[in-house]
Amino acid sequence: MAEISDVTSNPLPTRDEYCECAGEHDQERFRSPSIHTVNAGRTLAVLKQAHTKPDFGWRPACLQDWKELAHPRRRHRGLRMPEWKLNRFRGAFCIVWNEGDTRRRYSLGTSDREEALRLAPARFAELTRPSGTTVEDLWSGYINDRQGRPVTGTMKHTWKALAKRFGPLDALDVTSAHCRAHTEERRNAGVKDGTIHTELGHLRMVLLWAEKQNLIAKAPHVERPGKPAPKDAWLTREEVRALIDAAQAPHLKLAIRLMIATGARNEAALQLTWDRVDLERETISLRDPLDTTRRKGRATVPMNASLKAALIEAKSAALTPYVIEWAGHPIKSIKKGLKAAAKTIGRPDASPHMLRHSAAVWLAEDGHSMDEIAQFLGHKNSRITASVYARFSPTHLRKLANSLDL
């Protein structure tokens, strides 16, 4: 096979050439690490020179454009990447990292790689340690320390609500009065208590982290409104069938079927790749084994007949490694499309999470045990499952009621 560097000046293949090279084939997946990091067009140019037809795990008919196709495992938004990396600068090794949109570099003063690797972790921790004890300083420190975790993405939005009031405050000066004032201001702006609970919860999380890191002596108490009761609405089987019929796009229809048939969380369904869908054994692994990020439970579940038929049809036309895709790109959210379909059937309250909740309710109504339902949903403890779904089971407390019969 030609080296990657040999084809950097080669012209990109046309769409027809791509289809000819990567059309119908069923060979073992081509796994070269270098192949996954180059431009899709250049990859195919290399493969054509080597007279090899790759199998990326899906069967693209053609590409819509020639954007870079990274390996899906390396594109996971939730995959935690290294906080820093080692580079060379002017003959010496340095550590490089990002702080928001700013790229930082610090020389380690050595040209010996082993020495640089030994020095880097402690030096990085020292350089990114918060310089002050204001809430803003500690918030930035927490974000740097937790880079790559899903919560840091949400914290970008919650900080907008907290920054003006809490940002300049020294962490030890935060009081219940500040928290109450924030709650009142947000309620007056029409924000629901659930959102306020999350905002102040993130503040509490940062302060507790700062205490654990010995940045402050003691995390002050953060007063926040009570957490609202979870929404209890669910969809019937007839409503879900109507929802699928009302969905305009094929990817939305497939997403609804997938979430109902597997009880998958929204993010798990949208991040599902074809290599974790076993059509022969009829199982789906919702957990990516290469994703080391701490997440809520994701199970390996069997697929039913209707979902299998939908998956076979979708895979035959797939353009990407992702099960839920549109126009050759993975989907980040189905909320807008689902909301439009839900309004059509008279259920504007429907959401991606309601599909998971509905699946659990159906399982309980059919009399399945709480242990089995917990495993299916990926719950670590069946007591959590029972506390929410046991009341939907026709056998729940039935023996006790019979004991009281006259």
Side-chain angles (χ1 to χ4, degrees):
M1 176 180 284
E3 296 292 335
I4 297 298
S5 57
D6 293 341
V7 297
T8 53
S9 59
N10 288 357
L12 296 178
T14 65
R15 179 179 298 179
D16 292 338
E17 289 176 325
Y18 179 89
C19 296
E20 179 184 352
C21 182
E24 291 299 324
H25 49 77
D26 196 19
Q27 300 177 7
E28 182 177 355
R29 177 177 300 180
F30 194 86
R31 292 187 181 276
S32 169
S34 59
I35 289 297
H36 289 310
T37 60
V38 297
N39 180 278
R42 294 194 176 97
T43 298
L44 291 166
V46 174
L47 296 169
K48 288 179 71 179
Q49 288 181 11
H51 305 290
T52 303
K53 289 186 177 182
D55 187 351
F56 295 103
W58 74 100
R59 300 176 181 272
C62 59
L63 280 182
Q64 303 299 318
D65 50 38
W66 291 104
K67 293 188 176 181
E68 182 171 323
L69 277 178
H71 191 277
R73 296 279 174 78
R74 298 177 185 178
R75 293 180 59 185
H76 273 179
R77 289 172 292 158
L79 188 60
R80 188 172 185 179
M81 304 301 289
E83 297 170 339
W84 53 267
K85 61 182 179 179
L86 211 58
N87 278 357
R88 277 189 177 274
F89 180 67
R90 295 179 180 175
F93 281 100
C94 63
I95 49 176
V96 179
W97 72 97
N98 293 322
E99 289 183 5
D101 296 328
T102 304
R103 186 177 176 84
R104 304 288 188 189
R105 180 179 61 212
Y106 182 85
S107 176
L108 295 171
T110 178
S111 57
D112 182 84
R113 182 175 181 82
E114 294 300 321
E115 177 71 6
L117 287 172
R118 185 183 67 81
L119 294 173
R123 196 61 54 85
F124 175 76
E126 180 183 344
L127 291 168
T128 56
R129 185 180 178 87
S131 57
T133 58
T134 66
V135 173
E136 183 174 9
D137 292 332
L138 299 179
W139 193 282
S140 298
Y142 182 91
I143 295 292
N144 287 332
D145 187 55
R146 297 293 192 267
Q147 283 184 41
R149 293 193 178 181
V151 70
T152 59
T154 308
M155 289 175 71
K156 293 179 181 178
H157 303 289
T158 54
W159 180 244
K160 294 176 183 178
L162 297 168
K164 186 176 180 180
R165 184 182 305 279
F166 292 97
L169 285 177
D170 188 278
L172 296 178
D173 292 336
V174 174
T175 65
S176 295
H178 292 112
C179 299
R180 291 169 190 162
H182 175 79
T183 299
E184 183 179 0
E185 180 183 6
R186 297 292 280 162
R187 282 173 174 169
N188 291 338
V191 179
K192 295 182 179 179
D193 277 8
T195 302
I196 303 170
H197 181 90
T198 300
E199 293 168 353
L200 292 174
H202 286 171
L203 174 62
R204 177 176 177 270
M205 181 172 62
V206 168
L207 295 178
L208 289 173
W209 168 85
E211 179 186 339
K212 188 176 181 179
Q213 299 294 322
N214 294 320
L215 299 173
I216 58 176
K218 179 73 174 176
H221 173 67
V222 175
E223 183 179 309
R224 49 184 178 160
K227 188 175 183 179
K231 296 179 180 178
D232 197 34
W234 69 92
L235 299 168
T236 65
R237 286 173 169 80
E238 291 73 20
E239 287 174 328
V240 170
R241 294 189 191 100
L243 189 65
I244 294 173
D245 292 339
Q248 296 295 315
H251 75 272
L252 182 56
K253 293 178 182 288
L254 181 60
I256 296 171
R257 287 187 180 278
L258 179 64
M259 291 183 191
I260 278 290
T262 64
R265 291 182 173 88
N266 178 56
E267 189 177 29
L270 298 185
Q271 290 181 352
L272 181 64
T273 47
W274 285 113
D275 59 327
R276 289 184 281 130
V277 177
D278 191 333
L279 292 171
E280 289 187 8
R281 296 183 180 180
E282 300 183 344
T283 60
I284 297 174
S285 177
L286 296 172
R287 177 77 180 182
D288 183 349
L290 297 185
D291 185 355
T292 58
T293 306
R294 207 173 78 188
R295 299 184 183 279
K296 293 181 178 180
R298 296 183 179 184
T300 296
V301 297
M303 65 179 76
N304 57 37
S306 60
L307 177 60
K308 182 178 180 179
L311 289 172
I312 291 174
E313 181 181 358
K315 189 173 184 180
S316 66
L319 300 176
T320 77
Y322 291 89
V323 175
I324 308 299
E325 59 158 11
W326 175 251
H329 298 283
I331 298 297
K332 293 183 178 180
S333 174
I334 62 168
K335 289 182 179 179
K336 186 175 180 180
L338 184 63
K339 186 65 68 176
K343 288 182 178 178
T344 302
I345 67 168
R347 287 300 304 269
D349 58 330
S351 65
H353 183 73
M354 189 183 289
L355 295 174
R356 172 178 165 85
H357 181 59
S358 300
V361 170
W362 297 358
L363 292 174
E365 286 178 337
D366 283 353
H368 297 288
S369 74
M370 291 297 117
D371 286 337
E372 288 181 311
I373 296 175
Q375 292 180 42
F376 197 89
L377 296 177
H379 290 169
K380 293 181 180 179
N381 193 325
S382 61
R383 287 181 297 179
I384 299 174
T385 313
S387 66
V388 179
Y389 298 109
R391 59 195 174 88
F392 295 102
S393 173
T395 61
H396 180 54
L397 303 181
R398 176 59 55 191
K399 290 182 180 179
L400 279 71
N402 291 340
S403 296
L404 302 175
D405 197 4
L406 297 176

